[in-house]
Amino acid sequence: MCASATLSSAQQPASRPGTRISGRVVAAESRQPVVSATVAVESAPLVAITDSMGAYQLTGVPSGPQVLLVRRLGYAATRVQLTVPASGSLTRDIEMARASLRLPSVQVTADAAGRARGELGTASVITREAIANQNAVSLAGVLELLPGIPLSPPGLDNVQQISLRTVPTTSGTAEQLGAFGTLIILDGVPLSNNVNLQSTGTRGEIIAPTSAGGGVDLRRIPAAALERVEVIRGVPSARYGDLTQGAIIVDTRAGIVEPDLLARYDPRTTEASFTGGWAARAGKTAAASLDAATTKLQPGLNDANVWRITATGSHRAVFGSDGEAGAGDGRLTFDTRASLDQLYLQQPEEPDVRPGSYQSDRSGGMRLSERARSGSLTGTHVELTLSLEREWQRTVSQELLLRGASPFTDRLTEGRTVGHFVLGEYPAAVRLSGDPWHVYSRLEAVAAPEWLGGTHALRVGSELRREWNGGPGYQFAIEFPPQVTFNGVNGFDRPRRFDAIPPLATTGLYLDDRFRRSLPAGMALELQAGARVDVLHAGTWWTSGARSTVIEPRLNAQLSPRPWVRLRAGWGTTAKTPSLDALYPAPQYYDVVNVNWFPPDPAERLAVLTTFIRDPTNPKLGFSVGHKSEAGFEVDLGQSGAAMSVTGFHDVITGGVGFAQGTGFILREHFALTDSSVGTGRRPDYIVPAQAVDTVPIFIDRPSNLDRLDSRGVEWTLALPPLRRIDTRVELQGAWVRSAFSNNALDLGARSALFLFQQDSLIRRRPYWLGSLERGERALATGRVIHHEPALGLIITGTVQYFIRENSIQEGATDTLAFAGYVTRNGQLFPVPPEQRGAAQFADLRQRRSGLFNIQQSPLPDWLFSLQVAKAVAGTGRVSFYAFNALDRLGRPATLGRASRIFPRVRFGVELTLPTSALTGLR
C-alpha cells in the first residue's frame, strides 16, 4: 500500500488509541479497483483516499458500531455498517456500484442506532441514500423517518414545522412552543425565526398562514439539495444554543457531485431540480443546486397554490493539503455558501364564494456564510463562522367585514377627540411588510489531547447573534381595521412600523469535551460533558448589560460492555431566546366612548372618545429553559443487519413565553350635551367638565415566562435480520409520547363576558380563574418492508403506519366552585379561599368556566399504507412511483366531536432522477 493511500492516518500518531481498518474498494460489476475513492468514518473526522490498487487504511477508529461512507465520482455513494473492536485491526473490502439500487445493501431509512457525528445524545442520521428514497419535497418529508412522526403526502400545502418529542394538545400551543424551540442548523449556521413579526396579535387580525411564533418553515429547504440530516433528539452538546427541544443539523450537497436532474409529478405537486458539483482547480470544488416546486391547495375547487424556488451555491478551497481537492484536511480551508429561497402563497378572490376576499404571502430570504478553518480536521484547529441572512415577508390580506354603527377615532396619542361614526360592510385590507435580518458569528477552537488514558475532543467557543426586523411593518387604513368588535372601551389596533423596534442581541460561551477510553474485558466508556452560558442583552449590541442569563450544564454518558451494545444516558439544560414580538409587543389601545349621540340624520350625530395607550412590554421577560433527561440502550449486530434501540425521555420546558392577562382601570368621563333635541340639522356640543366619571376595568395581554410543557415517552427502533434469500428486510419503529401544557395565567373568562363587564357600570365584579392544563397523547408505530433486487436495480418499499392512540383533552375546573376570586371595576383582584366559595355572598361568582373543551378528542385506532417502487435507470439515475395512503383510508373519527377524515387523501405520483451524462448520451 503506497503512502498516499491515507489522508488522515498519516497525520495521526501511531500510538493513538483505536482500531485500524483497512481493505480494498472495488467496482461491484467488474471487481476492478476504484482509484481515488474517499473512505470516511461518519462519526469521527477520519478520511482516507484509495491508491492505484483500491486500497485504503484508517487508524484510530473509535470502537463500537460505526459507518464507513465511500464516495467516488461516477459511482453511487456506499455506506458500510460494521462493529469496531476496542483495539487491533479490522479488514473490510467494499463494493461500489454505478447505481445505488444495484448495491447489495441500500439504506432507505434513518440509522436504527442513530450514530451522530460528534454527539452522544440520542440522534438519528439520515443519509443521502435514505433521502433519495423518501420521495420528499422538503426537509419535513425527510424527517418522517424519525420515530413517532406522522406521514404526510409530499407537497407544500401548509406551513411545515417540526416539534421533537412533543405531541399536539387541544389548542396546538404545545406543538408551537416545541417547534419554536427546535434548532435548525443549515451548513453549520443556525436558522432563526426570532424576529418574524407576521403575528396575528391578540385582537383578531386577519393574516395569511405564516410561521410567526413557531419554528422555521421547513418548506424552504428542498429535499433534493440535502446530503445528510442529523437529528439530535436527546441532550445536545454545549456547542448548540437557542433551543429547548432538540437540534436538526442539515448538510446540503457540496463538493464533487455527479450532476443530475430531478422531476416529480402528482395531481397536486410538481417539482424540478438540478444539483451538481465539480472540481474547479487544485484544492478547490464548487457545487450548485436549483429547485422549483408548486402545490395546488384545492384542485377542482379554486386556483389557490403555493410556489417555491430555491438556489444554492457552495465553494470550497483547501490550501496546504497533499490530499484530494476538497477533502478538507489541509492547513487552511474556506467553505463559502450562498442561498436564495422564495415561497409564494396565492389565494385569489372567488367572486361567487367569497367576493372581495383574497390572500397572498411572499416570503423568502438570502443567506451568505463563510467558514474558515486553520489546522487539521483530525487534530487541533480553529474555526471561524460568519453569516449574514436577510429575509423578506410580504403578506397581503383582504376580507369583507360587516359592523354596526361604531363611534370611531384614529387618534395615535392619548387624549380626547371628537370622532365620527363608521358602519356597514367594508374591505379590511392588511399589508404586512417585514425584513428580518440575522447576523451570526462563531469562533471555536478544537483540541485532541490524550489524558487519563483516553482521547479527548475538547471544544471551546463563543457565539454572537444580532437580529432585527427592518420592514415598514403592519399597515392598514385605521378606519377599516382588520377587526369589527368594538365595545366602547377596547379600541381598534393601529398600524405599526417594524423598523422602529429595537434589535435583540445575544452572546453564547461554551466549553465541551468528549472523552473516550477503553476499559478491561473489551469494554469502552464515552463521556461528553460541557457547559454553556447564554446572555440576552438589555441593549441592542453585545457591549450592553445582561437582561437575562442562563447557565446550561450538559452531560451524556455511554458504556459499551461489548462492541455491539451501548448503554446511554443524558441530562442537561437548554435555553431559547424569546421572540422580538414578545420582547417588544405592540401598544394596546383603548378608545373609551364619552358621548354616543346617534340620531337618524348623520349631520346631527356626535361621537366623543378618549384614547388611552398601554405598553404591554415586560422588562422581566427572558429565556425559556429546557430540562432534558433520557436513558436507553442500543444493540447493533453490524454486518448481520440487526439492530435495536430503546430510549426513555423526560423533557420539561419552563418559562415558555405566553400571555399573562394583567388588570387595571381607566377613567370614563360622561358629558352632557348642549342640545339633545332631534331634527335641528346640526350636531350638539358637549359640556365640559364631565357630569360624571366612572372606572372601567381593562385587561392587558403582557408576554410573560409562564408556560410549561412537560413531555415524556419512549422511542424505539428495530431492524430485523434481512431475509437474504429473497433480499427482504423489515424495519420497525415507534414512539409513545404524552405532553402536558400548563400555565399559571390569570383567566377572566369569555371575551364577550369581559366586554359586558367593561360596558355596564352596574356589574361590580367578575370571577377569575387561575391556570390551565392541556394534555395530548400519541402512540404511533411505523413498519417498513423493503424488498431489494440488486441485479435489476429495483427496490419495493411498503410502509404501514398504525395510530395506536391519539387523543387530546383540555382539562380545567368547570364546576361552579372552581373560581379563584373576583376582579373589581378598578382592576383589583380579590382571592376567595376554597372553603368560602359556597357562601351566599359569592353566589354571583359561581359560574361555569367558559372556553374550555372538556370532551376528549380521540380518533379510534387506525392505520394507513403507502407504497413505493424505485428502479435504477441510465446509470446512477432512478425512477420512483409512489402511492401515499394507497388504500385511501379515511381514518376512523372520534366517538365524540371530530367527524372529518383523519388521514390525507390518496396521492399517486412519480419521481425521476437522471444524471446529466445520460441526457448527453441521448442526443
Side-chain angles (χ1 to χ4, degrees):
M1 185 178 299
C2 65
S4 64
T6 62
L7 183 74
S8 60
S9 59
Q11 301 177 13
Q12 301 168 13
S15 60
R16 180 173 181 141
T19 301
R20 184 183 67 184
I21 300 178
S22 60
R24 296 178 68 239
V25 179
V26 298
E29 297 86 353
S30 63
R31 305 295 300 176
Q32 294 297 312
V34 178
V35 182
S36 297
T38 301
V39 184
V41 180
E42 279 201 344
S43 64
L46 301 173
V47 183
I49 307 298
T50 59
D51 62 10
S52 59
M53 300 299 294
Y56 72 94
Q57 178 176 290
L58 293 162
T59 60
V61 180
S63 62
Q66 299 292 350
V67 174
L68 300 184
L69 175 62
V70 189
R71 292 183 176 279
R72 178 67 167 87
L73 190 62
Y75 290 84
T78 304
R79 301 173 74 253
V80 178
Q81 298 186 17
L82 68 167
T83 300
V84 181
S87 61
S89 62
L90 183 67
T91 301
R92 178 57 55 86
D93 292 338
I94 302 169
E95 292 184 357
M96 300 192 74
R98 294 289 180 177
S100 62
L101 299 184
R102 298 187 185 278
L103 289 168
S105 177
V106 179
Q107 182 71 35
V108 300
T109 62
D111 272 353
R115 300 169 190 86
R117 183 189 299 158
E119 294 287 321
L120 273 185
T122 299
S124 295
V125 174
I126 306 173
T127 64
R128 176 62 207 164
E129 197 172 51
I131 294 169
N133 278 280
Q134 187 60 10
N135 292 123
V137 176
S138 68
L139 176 59
V142 173
L143 297 178
E144 292 175 6
L145 293 175
L146 302 178
I149 302 298
L151 302 180
S152 298
L156 306 171
D157 306 53
N158 301 304
V159 173
Q160 296 175 354
Q161 295 169 325
I162 184 70
S163 180
L164 300 175
R165 292 182 170 177
T166 301
V167 295
T169 55
T170 304
S171 67
T173 309
E175 191 174 28
Q176 188 178 43
L177 180 62
F180 188 61
T182 300
L183 176 66
I184 309 293
I185 299 177
L186 184 61
D187 293 323
V189 177
L191 300 184
S192 174
N193 205 40
N194 292 334
V195 294
N196 185 342
L197 296 175
Q198 294 172 287
S199 172
T200 58
T202 59
R203 298 193 176 187
E205 299 93 326
I206 50 171
I207 298 295
T210 71
S211 58
V216 174
D217 190 347
L218 303 182
R219 293 179 298 178
R220 298 170 50 184
I221 306 175
L226 302 181
E227 178 65 30
R228 185 182 190 274
V229 178
E230 178 180 324
V231 183
I232 306 171
R233 304 189 304 280
V235 182
S237 63
R239 75 190 305 251
Y240 296 118
D242 200 33
L243 74 143
T244 49
Q245 290 292 90
I248 301 175
I249 297 93
V250 180
D251 295 332
T252 58
R253 302 175 72 180
I256 302 174
V257 178
E258 183 171 6
D260 61 37
L261 295 170
L262 177 144
R264 174 198 312 277
Y265 174 79
D266 69 39
R268 292 186 59 181
T269 299
T270 304
E271 181 184 16
S273 71
F274 165 80
T275 305
W278 307 267
R281 287 179 294 175
K284 299 179 177 62
T285 60
S289 69
L290 178 65
D291 182 275
T294 181
T295 294
K296 300 175 183 178
L297 299 182
Q298 294 180 306
L301 296 178
N302 56 44
D303 295 328
N305 58 23
V306 177
W307 279 88
R308 179 193 68 199
I309 298 176
T310 65
T312 63
S314 67
H315 181 267
R316 168 173 286 189
V318 181
F319 301 95
S321 172
D322 296 328
E324 181 184 76
D329 205 34
R331 294 294 180 182
L332 189 60
T333 304
F334 292 95
D335 275 306
T336 305
R337 305 275 181 147
S339 65
L340 170 70
D341 62 84
Q342 172 78 58
L343 272 172
Y344 177 37
L345 164 68
Q346 183 180 27
Q347 295 180 317
E349 180 184 5
E350 300 177 68
D352 299 332
V353 181
R354 299 174 60 203
S357 299
Y358 61 86
Q359 290 183 336
S360 70
D361 179 71
R362 294 179 182 269
S363 59
M366 296 185 296
R367 187 180 308 104
L368 178 64
S369 66
E370 181 69 51
R371 284 193 291 174
R373 182 176 62 250
S374 177
S376 170
L377 178 63
T378 60
T380 301
H381 64 267
V382 176
E383 185 173 282
L384 174 65
T385 302
L386 301 173
S387 172
L388 175 63
E389 182 179 1
R390 195 268 194 186
E391 299 182 31
W392 52 86
Q393 299 157 346
R394 303 290 184 265
T395 302
V396 178
S397 177
Q398 179 175 294
E399 187 170 342
L400 289 182
L401 300 181
L402 181 65
R403 63 183 170 194
S406 302
F408 176 79
T409 176
D410 59 1
R411 190 179 182 103
L412 297 176
T413 58
E414 290 194 329
R416 188 167 64 241
T417 303
V418 174
H420 60 282
F421 290 88
V422 291
L423 71 162
E425 188 177 63
Y426 69 94
V430 178
R431 180 177 297 275
L432 189 149
S433 300
D435 294 324
W437 290 81
H438 181 201
V439 174
Y440 173 83
S441 69
R442 179 178 66 231
L443 179 62
E444 181 179 82
V446 180
E450 297 183 10
W451 302 329
L452 303 176
T455 61
H456 295 256
L458 183 64
R459 296 177 183 269
V460 59
S462 66
E463 288 182 322
L464 299 177
R465 298 190 188 195
R466 192 171 189 265
E467 304 177 63
W468 69 97
N469 196 314
Y474 182 51
Q475 304 161 344
F476 57 90
I478 301 178
E479 191 163 340
F480 304 108
Q483 65 215 73
V484 297
T485 303
F486 177 61
N487 68 337
V489 177
N490 285 35
F492 295 114
D493 283 349
R494 307 299 202 264
R496 186 191 191 202
R497 292 197 66 87
F498 294 163
D499 52 15
I501 301 173
L504 67 86
T506 60
T507 297
L509 302 172
Y510 61 88
L511 173 66
D512 182 78
D513 183 29
R514 181 169 179 174
F515 170 70
R516 298 183 179 93
R517 180 175 180 178
S518 298
L519 301 177
M523 296 192 296
L525 174 67
E526 291 191 60
L527 296 174
Q528 188 164 30
R532 182 183 179 93
V533 178
D534 280 311
V535 179
L536 173 62
H537 293 279
T540 61
W541 290 97
W542 306 291
T543 54
S544 60
R547 171 176 178 153
S548 179
T549 303
V550 180
I551 301 175
E552 306 156 53
R554 302 178 193 177
L555 174 65
N556 283 286
Q558 176 177 291
L559 176 64
S560 300
R562 294 290 183 270
W564 45 270
V565 62
R566 292 183 284 182
L567 307 178
R568 309 170 61 142
W571 168 88
T573 301
T574 59
K576 174 65 183 157
T577 307
S579 68
L580 192 69
D581 191 39
L583 290 170
Y584 303 100
Q588 296 183 8
Y589 288 79
Y590 301 88
D591 298 325
V592 176
V593 177
N594 309 117
V595 174
N596 184 4
W597 179 246
F598 192 79
D601 185 356
E604 300 177 12
R605 297 172 185 170
L606 175 64
V608 179
L609 305 95
T610 301
T611 298
F612 298 86
I613 304 175
R614 295 293 182 266
D615 182 6
T617 300
N618 181 1
K620 296 182 179 180
L621 189 72
F623 288 103
S624 304
V625 179
H627 308 274
K628 303 173 71 67
S629 59
E630 66 171 9
F633 69 91
E634 296 178 356
V635 175
D636 192 329
L637 301 183
Q639 195 171 3
S640 71
M644 180 176 65
S645 67
V646 178
T647 303
F649 64 87
H650 186 197
D651 292 351
V652 180
I653 299 175
T654 58
V657 178
F659 286 99
Q661 204 167 35
T663 61
F665 74 94
I666 54 180
L667 296 178
R668 176 169 53 190
E669 298 174 302
H670 298 269
F671 296 101
L673 302 181
T674 56
D675 185 4
S676 59
S677 58
V678 178
T680 62
R682 55 184 174 80
R683 71 182 188 188
D685 291 327
Y686 65 97
I687 301 174
V688 179
Q691 65 176 2
V693 178
D694 65 352
T695 60
V696 177
I698 60 173
F699 312 102
I700 303 172
D701 298 310
R702 180 171 285 110
S704 301
N705 297 107
L706 52 81
D707 289 340
R708 176 186 174 96
L709 178 60
D710 190 318
S711 295
R712 62 187 67 204
V714 177
E715 298 171 332
W716 55 272
T717 63
L718 175 62
L720 300 177
L723 305 174
R724 301 192 185 280
R725 289 188 176 182
I726 58 175
D727 286 317
T728 300
R729 68 179 187 272
V730 177
E731 297 187 2
L732 307 172
Q733 65 178 28
W736 167 80
V737 183
R738 176 179 291 172
S739 296
F741 173 79
S742 59
N743 58 41
N744 58 355
L746 178 69
D747 182 5
L748 294 162
R751 190 172 293 270
S752 58
L754 288 181
F755 286 175
L756 182 61
F757 181 43
Q758 290 177 314
Q759 289 174 322
D760 192 346
S761 60
L762 297 179
I763 303 176
R764 308 308 303 170
R765 63 184 183 180
R766 166 155 186 84
Y768 70 83
W769 297 262
L770 289 176
S772 64
L773 175 62
E774 302 174 12
R775 296 186 186 274
E777 184 179 10
R778 172 179 289 162
L780 185 64
T782 305
R784 291 180 174 87
V785 179
I786 302 110
H787 176 67
H788 186 199
E789 294 284 353
L792 301 177
L794 178 69
I795 290 183
I796 302 174
T797 305
T799 304
V800 176
Q801 188 164 80
Y802 185 66
F803 287 77
I804 305 170
R805 184 173 178 82
E806 174 94 2
N807 66 52
S808 60
I809 185 172
Q810 190 175 52
E811 298 180 1
T814 55
D815 61 272
T816 57
L817 295 178
F819 66 93
Y822 61 89
V823 57
T824 63
R825 295 203 63 80
N826 61 0
Q828 287 186 291
L829 300 176
F830 289 91
V832 177
E835 63 273 11
Q836 299 181 17
R837 294 172 189 172
Q841 60 181 321
F842 301 122
D844 60 314
L845 303 178
R846 292 194 284 272
Q847 304 175 17
R848 297 183 67 87
R849 186 174 180 178
S850 59
L852 297 183
F853 300 94
N854 273 342
I855 298 176
Q856 180 169 305
Q857 301 184 37
S858 178
L860 298 176
D862 212 332
W863 56 273
L864 64 83
F865 169 72
S866 296
L867 178 68
Q868 177 185 326
V869 179
K871 176 73 171 64
V873 295
T876 58
R878 71 173 67 198
V879 60
S880 175
F881 167 82
Y882 58 89
F884 172 84
N885 193 9
L887 303 181
D888 198 20
R889 295 185 62 85
L890 300 176
R892 301 175 67 184
T895 54
L896 293 173
R898 196 180 299 178
S900 60
R901 71 159 46 230
I902 307 302
F903 302 143
R905 294 186 179 276
V906 63
R907 187 83 61 85
F908 295 95
V910 63
E911 179 183 295
L912 174 65
T913 302
L914 285 177
T916 55
S917 58
L919 298 179
T920 304
L922 293 176
R923 292 180 179 178

